[in-house]
């Protein structure tokens, strides 16, 4: 007598299951991109237009969460510990390739705690000065600094940032002594440079471009093998008399380790598509950056090479951080 009851229950359960909605496909809610520097810096320059483009493609909001501090390591640590559910990504850059050699006790491992998604932009570094500094070119800067050892300061986006190491490298290669002044990101650093609180900076062209065009800071040279198409009148460091000085910054996207492969693959595809959009191409070009073509494992290999490269610069410069 119980058999029919079981049959009816089974049929009822099957009906309920068949009427249940299928699992939603990614993304079904807004996505957050953690940017480990304050608004207004180089990372932000590329992050915000990319987020807007991705949002229109994905049909979901892509929100930028700025978490600055400690040369970008505070935000990286936060992102590394985020729930790996496909709704949090991390946009860092060259800063995070040199951090392992600078910090003795990082709370994350950029090579193990993240999944590489894509390289996003590669603007060259540019040597910029406050217009009040009485130098017109790199040769003049070197002569001015040599006559005033330890009196010329340069702003950085924080101790251990690419701005910092680029300045240390320049000082080593030219035989001058500069004093670094750290800020909480490139935005505050540029404000200090414009306001004459610091004399010069070694900045990513992406964050300096607008201020160069506006005349509030003066470019002396780009630290790349070729001149920037956006600023063809600015010489390379080699042309300006420092032949071995080449520093490019770069920005990239990661996902926390453990993020579902489906979400990573779809985000990779959408980033690739976004970078080929006319709008992004225009913005990248105006900020002196080409469009990279490097995703997944290829970007991971590039990251490993950058970690090794900056480890040598850190060792040679003697810079250490707690």
């Amino acid at each position: 007598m119980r058999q029919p009851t079981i049959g009816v229950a089974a049929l009822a359960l099957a009906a309920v299951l068949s009427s249940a909605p299928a699992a939603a496909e990614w993304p079904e809610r807004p996505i957050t991109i953690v940017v480990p520097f304050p608004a207004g810096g180089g990372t932000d320059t590329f992050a915000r237009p990319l987020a807007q483009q991705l949002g229109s493609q994905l049909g979901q909001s892509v929100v930028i969460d700025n978490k600055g501090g400690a040369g970008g390591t505070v935000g990286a640590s936060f992102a590394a510990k985020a729930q790996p559910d496909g709704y949090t990504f991390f946009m860092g850059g060259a800063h995070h390739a040199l951090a392992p050699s600078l910090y003795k006790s990082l709370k994350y491992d950029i090579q193990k705690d993240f999944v590489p998604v894509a390289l996003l932009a590669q603007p060259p570094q540019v040597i910029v000065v406050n217009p009040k500094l009485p130098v017109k070119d790199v040769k003049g800067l070197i002569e001015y600094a040599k006559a005033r050892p330890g009196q010329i300061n340069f702003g950085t986006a924080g101790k251990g940032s690419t701005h910092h190491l680029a300045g240390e490298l320049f000082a080593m290669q030219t035989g001058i002594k500069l004093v670094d002044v750290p800020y909480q990101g490139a935005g505050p650093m540029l404000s200090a440079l414009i306001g004459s609180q610091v004399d010069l900076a070694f900045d990513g062209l992406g964050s300096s471009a607008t201020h160069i065009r506006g005349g509030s800071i003066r470019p002396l040279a780009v630290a790349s093998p070729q001149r920037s198409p956006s600023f063809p009148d600015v010489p390379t460091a080699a042309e300006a008399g420092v032949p071995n000085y080449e520093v490019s910054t770069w920005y990239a996207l990661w996902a926390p380790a453990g993020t579902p492969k489906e979400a990573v693959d779809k985000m990779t595809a959408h980033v690739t598509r976004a970078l080929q959009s006319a709008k992004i191409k225009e913005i990248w070009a105006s900020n002196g950056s080409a469009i990279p073509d490097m995703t997944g494992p290829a970007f991971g290999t590039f990251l490993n090479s950058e970690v090794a490269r900056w480890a040598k610069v850190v060792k040679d410069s003697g810079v250490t951080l707690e």
Side-chain angles (χ1 to χ4, degrees):
M1 292 296 293
R2 295 174 60 191
Q3 197 68 23
T5 304
I6 294 175
V8 170
L11 288 172
L13 177 60
V16 171
L17 291 175
S18 64
S19 64
E25 290 190 4
W26 181 94
E28 59 176 329
R29 53 188 171 85
I31 295 166
T32 296
I33 296 179
V34 176
V35 169
F37 295 101
T43 315
D44 229 43
T45 299
F46 295 98
R48 292 188 180 275
L50 178 65
Q52 185 176 15
Q53 180 66 31
L54 287 173
S56 66
Q57 291 177 192
L58 292 165
Q60 291 285 354
S61 297
V62 179
V63 181
I64 299 298
D65 184 8
N66 294 96
K67 291 191 178 296
T73 62
V74 171
S77 179
F78 174 84
K81 297 175 176 60
Q83 184 71 24
D85 55 7
Y87 291 92
T88 299
F89 289 82
F90 172 64
M91 185 169 169
H95 320 278
H96 299 93
L98 56 87
S101 301
L102 286 167
Y103 294 88
K104 296 179 180 179
S105 55
L106 282 179
K107 297 180 180 180
Y108 68 93
D109 187 322
I110 193 66
Q111 294 166 287
K112 295 179 180 179
D113 294 337
F114 292 95
V115 177
V117 176
L119 188 66
L120 301 175
Q122 281 185 294
Q125 293 283 107
V126 59
I127 303 170
V128 286
V129 300
N130 182 283
K132 294 181 181 178
L133 196 71
V135 300
K136 301 296 183 181
D137 51 32
V138 170
K139 181 181 177 181
L141 172 63
I142 295 171
E143 292 174 350
Y144 188 79
K146 283 185 174 180
R148 299 164 180 78
Q151 297 178 41
I152 309 303
N153 56 38
F154 69 101
T156 78
K159 286 283 188 180
S161 63
T162 50
H163 309 78
H164 181 193
L165 269 293
E168 296 289 350
L169 183 61
F170 182 82
M172 283 193 300
Q173 292 185 353
T174 58
I176 61 176
K177 182 174 178 56
L178 301 174
V179 178
D180 67 284
V181 181
Y183 291 89
Q184 294 294 314
M189 175 198 75
L190 285 168
S191 294
L193 179 61
I194 293 168
S196 299
Q197 280 84 53
V198 293
D199 299 309
L200 71 153
F202 302 83
D203 190 29
L205 188 54
S207 50
S208 280
T210 300
H211 305 293
I212 292 172
R213 290 192 181 95
S216 56
I217 57 178
R218 178 188 300 140
L220 301 186
V222 289
S224 54
Q226 295 85 31
R227 294 191 181 199
S228 168
S230 302
F231 297 92
D233 294 334
V234 180
T236 66
E239 292 172 332
V242 190
N244 298 317
Y245 186 71
E246 291 185 12
V247 182
S248 64
T249 191
W250 50 266
Y251 304 100
L253 193 70
W254 287 264
T259 299
K261 187 176 184 299
E262 178 193 13
V264 173
D265 289 347
K266 286 187 175 182
M267 178 59 91
T268 301
H270 276 283
V271 165
T272 300
R273 176 184 166 193
L275 292 178
Q276 293 304 315
S277 68
K279 182 177 181 181
I280 292 297
K281 284 183 175 180
E282 179 183 356
I283 295 172
W284 265 224
S286 69
N287 287 295
S289 177
I291 302 292
D293 182 17
M294 191 183 298
T295 61
F299 166 47
T301 299
F302 169 77
L303 171 65
N304 294 339
S305 68
E306 283 287 279
V307 170
R309 173 186 176 228
W310 282 109
K312 185 178 186 308
V313 174
V314 170
K315 181 180 179 181
D316 292 346
S317 68
V319 175
T320 58
L321 300 174
E322 292 299 327

